[in-house]
Amino acid sequence: MFISHVLRRDENQNMLTRDAAIDTVRRYADEIEAKGVVLREVILFVSFARGTQHEWSDIDVALVADNFTGSPADHDLFPRIGIKKPYIRIESKTYPTEYFRKGDPFIEEIRKTGIVVLEK
């Protein structure tokens, strides 16, 4: 039992914290904006926002911009950023600004439980 407790503590010491995830998302957003994308909102959601992350958790992020369509093709506007080592764990979902403001049940959950990292 003692050994099990020690192993869990060691694993948790290697786990990314919420604050570290927020900092990573801020840098990710800065790099996206450097590619010319004007982000209106960036929201961290799911496990890191709820404080339930584990060692292998993705960093789930909602990205909102006027020129997004909500399709995977939006990532073509900021190519190669997501494959950089600091951002490899980020799973971003893009939304057009107007659609995000109108909302849907999933967006409402993001707004209710997420952490706003950027809002313009």
Side-chain angles (χ1 to χ4, degrees):
M1 193 173 212
F2 177 76
I3 293 172
S4 175
H5 175 71
V6 170
L7 290 174
R8 269 192 301 243
R9 199 173 104 226
D10 288 342
E11 288 173 7
N12 289 338
Q13 288 175 351
N14 294 326
M15 189 171 60
L16 191 64
T17 66
R18 178 188 292 175
D19 289 341
I22 290 169
D23 288 342
T24 299
V25 169
R26 279 193 183 114
R27 288 191 311 273
Y28 180 68
D30 288 345
E31 287 204 38
I32 291 170
E33 288 196 310
K35 294 286 186 186
V37 176
V38 178
L39 295 170
R40 300 292 179 198
E41 290 186 64
V42 176
I43 302 174
L44 177 69
F45 66 101
V46 190
S47 62
F48 279 96
R50 294 179 182 151
T52 60
Q53 74 273 17
H54 56 77
E55 186 177 0
W56 305 110
S57 291
D58 291 332
I59 302 171
D60 297 289
V61 180
L63 301 174
V64 182
D66 294 347
N67 56 337
F68 285 163
T69 63
S71 77
D74 290 337
H75 291 87
D76 293 343
L77 297 171
F78 49 97
R80 305 188 60 87
I81 293 174
I83 62 171
K84 288 185 174 183
K85 189 171 183 174
Y87 313 126
I88 201 77
R89 293 176 62 182
I90 292 178
E91 289 292 327
S92 56
K93 172 76 177 109
T94 59
Y95 293 93
T97 304
E98 192 167 317
Y99 181 80
F100 196 80
R101 289 189 177 148
K102 287 180 184 174
D104 65 24
F106 189 64
I107 290 170
E108 293 310 312
E109 184 66 21
I110 291 171
R111 287 191 176 284
K112 188 169 100 176
T113 62
I115 296 173
V116 176
V117 176
L118 172 83
E119 187 171 38
K120 294 180 185 176

